[in-house]
Amino acid sequence: MQSPLPVRDGVNATRLRLPDEGPWNTAMDYMMHRWGHIDPQGIEDRFDAGEIVGEGGAPLDRATRLEDHTFIWYYRTLPPESRIPVELNILHQDEHLLVVDKPHFLPTTPGGTYIQESALVRLRNQLELPDLIPMHRLDRMTAGVLLLSTNPETRGKYQVLFEKRQVQKEYECVSAAQPAAGHPAVDFPVVVRNRMTKSRSYLLAEVIDGEPNAETRIDLLETFDAGTHRRGLYRLEPHSGKTHQLRVHMASLGLGIVNDAFYPDLLDKAPDDYARPLQLLARGIRFVDPISKEPVSYRSRLTLSEAPAAQP
């Protein structure tokens, strides 16, 4: 559903669905019920200023009845954020696409405590492209190639490629050279298939019984010594895009990715350690461009800090 409010400071207006019924007479009563304990004066001021709108951009006031609108939009008050000390690098830009190297620690889209400090909001503000939308997502702790649409009129053509799995992605990671104790040896390349699920209320993805919905081809590129550890550089080719898929599939082989705080074991929450990024990189992405009809390939210029002379 199209927002009647434009992007402001790189951030979309928030959409809220009003309940069909309840003990609230007005839209403001409902918002006070939800958030009045945080900023009641701010809610009243927004209604008085006409900053809360319904479909078509019609401003609401304190007396607007609950049943007059199904959806309303408004701008959140953004909390101050500390800048994440990493930078985005542009790999390609044209009238349809923007391709960037997303660094570790920077989320793809706003959420939680990261709003201005997300790749999307940074790029919208930096490039003055309010219509910018990511075509896929990388986990906050994963670095590498990120594709974004710059043109709403052609966006659907690229979205279809992802929906039909006509985009090939390649990742690299650093892990142990041999599976952990208790796991069988692996003959590479290997294909891992299972059924994964991820609840919004729980940090970790889980493997459950049922028809596989996640598949990754994994190959060992080389092994090397890292201090007292023998490690491996791996190529990962996912054929699906489940949350944390690559991390879960590597851990399932007894090859948890270096500096992974989630898999195979969930570690205690700690501040980001910028010297120890997750050793997972979206190395490349390729597809047949739906506009030019030509095959295209974009490769990351980043390297994994614990990989031996990994080449873009």
Side-chain angles (χ1 to χ4, degrees):
M1 182 178 294
Q2 183 69 32
S3 171
L5 294 175
V7 170
R8 187 170 77 179
D9 297 327
V11 181
N12 294 86
T14 296
R15 186 183 73 177
L16 174 68
R17 184 187 181 102
L18 297 179
D20 295 329
E21 57 184 18
W24 312 282
N25 294 321
T26 67
M28 192 178 83
D29 289 341
Y30 179 68
M31 290 194 74
M32 283 293 191
H33 166 75
R34 292 284 302 270
W35 297 291
H37 63 288
I38 299 174
D39 184 19
Q41 187 61 54
I43 292 173
E44 292 178 350
D45 291 345
R46 290 183 187 191
F47 275 99
D48 291 343
E51 293 180 352
I52 299 176
V53 305
E55 293 183 43
L60 283 62
D61 58 32
R62 296 190 187 206
T64 301
R65 296 176 304 170
L66 184 72
E67 60 268 24
D68 286 354
H69 295 275
T70 301
F71 293 100
I72 61 175
W73 288 262
Y74 61 94
Y75 294 112
R76 288 176 289 174
T77 299
L78 301 180
E81 296 179 57
S82 298
R83 185 172 176 83
I84 299 175
V86 295
E87 300 299 331
L88 286 148
N89 292 306
I90 295 175
L91 300 174
H92 171 83
Q93 184 175 359
D94 61 33
E95 60 182 313
H96 307 290
L97 289 179
L98 174 69
V99 186
V100 301
D101 252 342
K102 187 192 82 66
H104 295 101
F105 302 104
L106 191 69
T108 298
T109 55
T113 59
Y114 304 99
I115 306 297
Q116 294 290 333
E117 285 304 288
S118 62
L120 178 60
V121 175
R122 275 199 193 183
L123 290 166
R124 280 177 172 176
N125 290 330
Q126 174 188 335
L127 302 175
E128 298 183 352
L129 292 172
D131 290 326
L132 197 65
I133 292 292
M135 293 287 90
H136 60 112
R137 296 191 183 191
L138 297 178
D139 289 345
R140 187 171 81 88
M141 292 303 183
T142 303
V145 176
L146 178 65
L147 201 74
L148 304 100
S149 163
T150 61
N151 188 340
E153 294 185 3
T154 59
R155 182 168 298 152
K157 295 180 182 294
Y158 293 94
Q159 289 174 327
V160 166
L161 297 182
F162 286 90
E163 292 168 1
K164 293 186 174 181
R165 297 186 181 177
Q166 294 175 348
V167 176
Q168 289 75 50
K169 301 175 186 176
E170 175 190 342
Y171 290 73
E172 290 175 2
C173 76
V174 175
S175 181
Q178 297 292 332
H183 291 266
V186 180
D187 290 327
F188 294 101
V190 64
V191 175
V192 178
R193 296 185 187 92
N194 53 30
R195 186 166 190 83
M196 291 179 55
T197 183
K198 173 71 168 65
S199 166
R200 289 180 178 235
S201 62
Y202 188 55
L203 284 173
L204 303 182
E206 299 178 279
V207 175
I208 60 175
D209 292 335
E211 184 72 19
N213 63 358
E215 177 179 323
T216 308
R217 184 181 188 275
I218 302 171
D219 202 3
L220 176 61
L221 299 179
E222 62 176 299
T223 60
F224 59 96
D225 291 320
T228 59
H229 301 284
R230 186 72 179 163
R231 288 185 173 161
L233 177 66
Y234 296 83
R235 177 189 294 121
L236 314 175
E237 297 175 309
H239 296 283
S240 50
K242 298 300 180 182
T243 300
H244 295 177
Q245 175 179 319
L246 302 180
R247 298 160 72 174
V248 169
H249 282 180
M250 287 296 291
S252 73
L253 299 176
L255 296 168
I257 298 172
V258 171
N259 298 335
D260 192 341
F262 282 20
Y263 308 97
D265 300 309
L266 179 62
L267 304 182
D268 291 338
K269 174 67 176 175
D272 289 339
D273 184 347
Y274 299 111
R276 302 183 69 251
L278 175 71
Q279 294 298 286
L280 177 61
L281 173 67
R283 170 59 69 198
I285 191 168
R286 65 186 189 277
F287 53 91
V288 175
D289 189 281
I291 307 298
S292 69
K293 309 300 182 184
E294 296 293 330
V296 294
S297 175
Y298 302 104
R299 305 283 292 176
S300 174
R301 297 171 188 164
L302 299 174
T303 57
L304 292 170
S305 58
E306 300 200 28
Q311 297 297 318

